[in-house]
PDB file of all heavy atoms in Angstrom:
ATOM      1  N   ALA K  39      14.111  19.570 -26.730  1.00  0.00           N
ATOM      2  CA  ALA K  39      13.591  20.918 -26.976  1.00  0.00           C
ATOM      3  C   ALA K  39      12.412  21.194 -26.053  1.00  0.00           C
ATOM      4  O   ALA K  39      11.475  20.406 -25.966  1.00  0.00           O
ATOM      5  CB  ALA K  39      13.142  21.035 -28.430  1.00  0.00           C
ATOM      6  N   ARG K 167      -2.718  20.378 -12.934  1.00  0.00           N
ATOM      7  CA  ARG K 167      -3.574  20.217 -11.752  1.00  0.00           C
ATOM      8  C   ARG K 167      -3.160  18.992 -10.934  1.00  0.00           C
ATOM      9  O   ARG K 167      -3.700  18.741  -9.862  1.00  0.00           O
ATOM     10  CB  ARG K 167      -5.035  20.060 -12.160  1.00  0.00           C
ATOM     11  CG  ARG K 167      -5.274  18.769 -12.864  1.00  0.00           C
ATOM     12  CD  ARG K 167      -6.713  18.373 -13.061  1.00  0.00           C
ATOM     13  NE  ARG K 167      -6.741  17.078 -13.714  1.00  0.00           N
ATOM     14  CZ  ARG K 167      -6.633  15.922 -13.063  1.00  0.00           C
ATOM     15  NH1 ARG K 167      -6.510  15.894 -11.756  1.00  0.00           N
ATOM     16  NH2 ARG K 167      -6.627  14.794 -13.722  1.00  0.00           N
ATOM     17  N   MET K 175       3.121  13.114 -15.909  1.00  0.00           N
ATOM     18  CA  MET K 175       3.598  12.842 -17.270  1.00  0.00           C
ATOM     19  C   MET K 175       2.583  11.985 -18.015  1.00  0.00           C
ATOM     20  O   MET K 175       1.800  11.261 -17.407  1.00  0.00           O
ATOM     21  CB  MET K 175       4.946  12.115 -17.207  1.00  0.00           C
ATOM     22  CG  MET K 175       6.056  12.926 -16.564  1.00  0.00           C
ATOM     23  SD  MET K 175       7.626  12.000 -16.477  1.00  0.00           S
ATOM     24  CE  MET K 175       7.364  11.001 -15.002  1.00  0.00           C
ATOM     25  N   ILE K 215      -0.678  15.978   1.176  1.00  0.00           N
ATOM     26  CA  ILE K 215       0.370  15.911   2.212  1.00  0.00           C
ATOM     27  C   ILE K 215       0.776  14.457   2.427  1.00  0.00           C
ATOM     28  O   ILE K 215       1.962  14.127   2.430  1.00  0.00           O
ATOM     29  CB  ILE K 215      -0.133  16.537   3.536  1.00  0.00           C
ATOM     30  CG1 ILE K 215      -0.246  18.069   3.387  1.00  0.00           C
ATOM     31  CG2 ILE K 215       0.782  16.157   4.704  1.00  0.00           C
ATOM     32  CD1 ILE K 215      -0.869  18.767   4.584  1.00  0.00           C
ATOM     33  N   ASP K 233      12.719  19.301  -0.191  1.00  0.00           N
ATOM     34  CA  ASP K 233      12.750  20.721  -0.528  1.00  0.00           C
ATOM     35  C   ASP K 233      12.198  21.498   0.673  1.00  0.00           C
ATOM     36  O   ASP K 233      11.058  21.253   1.101  1.00  0.00           O
ATOM     37  CB  ASP K 233      11.882  20.943  -1.776  1.00  0.00           C
ATOM     38  CG  ASP K 233      11.612  22.422  -2.018  1.00  0.00           C
ATOM     39  OD1 ASP K 233      12.514  23.227  -1.748  1.00  0.00           O
ATOM     40  OD2 ASP K 233      10.488  22.764  -2.466  1.00  0.00           O
ATOM     41  N   GLU K 253     -10.444   6.941   6.160  1.00  0.00           N
ATOM     42  CA  GLU K 253     -10.158   5.860   5.218  1.00  0.00           C
ATOM     43  C   GLU K 253      -9.146   6.301   4.161  1.00  0.00           C
ATOM     44  O   GLU K 253      -8.235   5.543   3.796  1.00  0.00           O
ATOM     45  CB  GLU K 253     -11.452   5.399   4.522  1.00  0.00           C
ATOM     46  CG  GLU K 253     -12.449   4.721   5.450  1.00  0.00           C
ATOM     47  CD  GLU K 253     -13.437   5.660   6.122  1.00  0.00           C
ATOM     48  OE1 GLU K 253     -13.167   6.886   6.196  1.00  0.00           O
ATOM     49  OE2 GLU K 253     -14.479   5.180   6.584  1.00  0.00           O
ATOM     50  N   LYS K 260      -0.674   3.612   5.133  1.00  0.00           N
ATOM     51  CA  LYS K 260      -0.270   2.202   5.060  1.00  0.00           C
ATOM     52  C   LYS K 260       0.888   2.014   4.082  1.00  0.00           C
ATOM     53  O   LYS K 260       1.843   1.293   4.366  1.00  0.00           O
ATOM     54  CB  LYS K 260      -1.457   1.337   4.606  1.00  0.00           C
ATOM     55  CG  LYS K 260      -2.421   1.004   5.706  1.00  0.00           C
ATOM     56  CD  LYS K 260      -3.369  -0.124   5.332  1.00  0.00           C
ATOM     57  CE  LYS K 260      -4.426   0.292   4.358  1.00  0.00           C
ATOM     58  NZ  LYS K 260      -5.478  -0.750   4.224  1.00  0.00           N
ATOM     59  N   LEU K 293       8.985   7.072  19.007  1.00  0.00           N
ATOM     60  CA  LEU K 293       9.751   7.125  17.756  1.00  0.00           C
ATOM     61  C   LEU K 293      11.017   6.281  17.824  1.00  0.00           C
ATOM     62  O   LEU K 293      11.464   5.735  16.809  1.00  0.00           O
ATOM     63  CB  LEU K 293      10.098   8.582  17.425  1.00  0.00           C
ATOM     64  CG  LEU K 293       8.899   9.453  17.040  1.00  0.00           C
ATOM     65  CD1 LEU K 293       9.278  10.930  17.015  1.00  0.00           C
ATOM     66  CD2 LEU K 293       8.322   9.035  15.701  1.00  0.00           C
ATOM     67  N   PRO K 310       1.439  -3.117   7.515  1.00  0.00           N
ATOM     68  CA  PRO K 310       1.582  -1.730   7.980  1.00  0.00           C
ATOM     69  C   PRO K 310       1.395  -1.588   9.489  1.00  0.00           C
ATOM     70  O   PRO K 310       2.120  -0.847  10.148  1.00  0.00           O
ATOM     71  CB  PRO K 310       0.485  -0.979   7.211  1.00  0.00           C
ATOM     72  CG  PRO K 310       0.275  -1.788   5.980  1.00  0.00           C
ATOM     73  CD  PRO K 310       0.507  -3.215   6.372  1.00  0.00           C
ATOM     74  N   LYS K 338      -6.894  -3.812  13.525  1.00  0.00           N
ATOM     75  CA  LYS K 338      -7.069  -3.413  14.931  1.00  0.00           C
ATOM     76  C   LYS K 338      -6.624  -4.545  15.863  1.00  0.00           C
ATOM     77  O   LYS K 338      -5.897  -4.317  16.841  1.00  0.00           O
ATOM     78  CB  LYS K 338      -8.539  -3.061  15.158  1.00  0.00           C
ATOM     79  CG  LYS K 338      -8.884  -2.642  16.577  1.00  0.00           C
ATOM     80  CD  LYS K 338     -10.343  -2.211  16.598  1.00  0.00           C
ATOM     81  CE  LYS K 338     -10.933  -2.225  17.968  1.00  0.00           C
ATOM     82  NZ  LYS K 338     -12.374  -1.900  17.940  1.00  0.00           N
ATOM     83  N   ASP K 350       6.121  -9.678  26.391  1.00  0.00           N
ATOM     84  CA  ASP K 350       5.818 -10.863  27.211  1.00  0.00           C
ATOM     85  C   ASP K 350       5.981 -12.176  26.466  1.00  0.00           C
ATOM     86  O   ASP K 350       6.364 -13.182  27.053  1.00  0.00           O
ATOM     87  CB  ASP K 350       4.376 -10.776  27.745  1.00  0.00           C
ATOM     88  CG  ASP K 350       4.200  -9.594  28.685  1.00  0.00           C
ATOM     89  OD1 ASP K 350       5.218  -9.115  29.214  1.00  0.00           O
ATOM     90  OD2 ASP K 350       3.057  -9.128  28.864  1.00  0.00           O
ATOM     91  N   ARG K 371      -6.141 -20.994  19.805  1.00  0.00           N
ATOM     92  CA  ARG K 371      -7.125 -21.676  18.944  1.00  0.00           C
ATOM     93  C   ARG K 371      -7.883 -20.729  18.020  1.00  0.00           C
ATOM     94  O   ARG K 371      -8.993 -21.038  17.570  1.00  0.00           O
ATOM     95  CB  ARG K 371      -8.133 -22.481  19.781  1.00  0.00           C
ATOM     96  CG  ARG K 371      -7.497 -23.539  20.672  1.00  0.00           C
ATOM     97  CD  ARG K 371      -8.543 -24.394  21.350  1.00  0.00           C
ATOM     98  NE  ARG K 371      -8.097 -24.821  22.678  1.00  0.00           N
ATOM     99  CZ  ARG K 371      -8.793 -25.551  23.499  1.00  0.00           C
ATOM    100  NH1 ARG K 371      -9.999 -25.958  23.167  1.00  0.00           N
ATOM    101  NH2 ARG K 371      -8.312 -25.909  24.682  1.00  0.00           N
ATOM    102  N   GLN K 386      10.029  -8.289  16.487  1.00  0.00           N
ATOM    103  CA  GLN K 386      11.114  -8.539  17.443  1.00  0.00           C
ATOM    104  C   GLN K 386      12.464  -8.772  16.773  1.00  0.00           C
ATOM    105  O   GLN K 386      13.485  -8.891  17.461  1.00  0.00           O
ATOM    106  CB  GLN K 386      10.755  -9.759  18.301  1.00  0.00           C
ATOM    107  CG  GLN K 386       9.547  -9.516  19.210  1.00  0.00           C
ATOM    108  CD  GLN K 386       9.053 -10.791  19.890  1.00  0.00           C
ATOM    109  OE1 GLN K 386       9.278 -11.901  19.389  1.00  0.00           O
ATOM    110  NE2 GLN K 386       8.384 -10.640  21.024  1.00  0.00           N
ATOM    111  N   LYS K 433       1.066 -31.243  24.932  1.00  0.00           N
ATOM    112  CA  LYS K 433       1.898 -30.036  24.760  1.00  0.00           C
ATOM    113  C   LYS K 433       3.317 -30.296  25.257  1.00  0.00           C
ATOM    114  O   LYS K 433       4.300 -29.955  24.601  1.00  0.00           O
ATOM    115  CB  LYS K 433       1.266 -28.876  25.539  1.00  0.00           C
ATOM    116  CG  LYS K 433       1.922 -27.524  25.259  1.00  0.00           C
ATOM    117  CD  LYS K 433       1.505 -26.460  26.255  1.00  0.00           C
ATOM    118  CE  LYS K 433       0.106 -25.987  26.050  1.00  0.00           C
ATOM    119  NZ  LYS K 433      -0.196 -24.819  26.938  1.00  0.00           N
TER     120      LYS K 433
END
Side-chain angles (χ1 to χ4, degrees):
R167 68 168 182 84
M175 297 179 278
I215 289 174
D233 168 36
E253 293 89 340
K260 279 195 286 191
L293 292 168
K338 179 175 160 184
D350 296 339
R371 302 186 213 179
Q386 294 171 336
K433 189 193 287 187

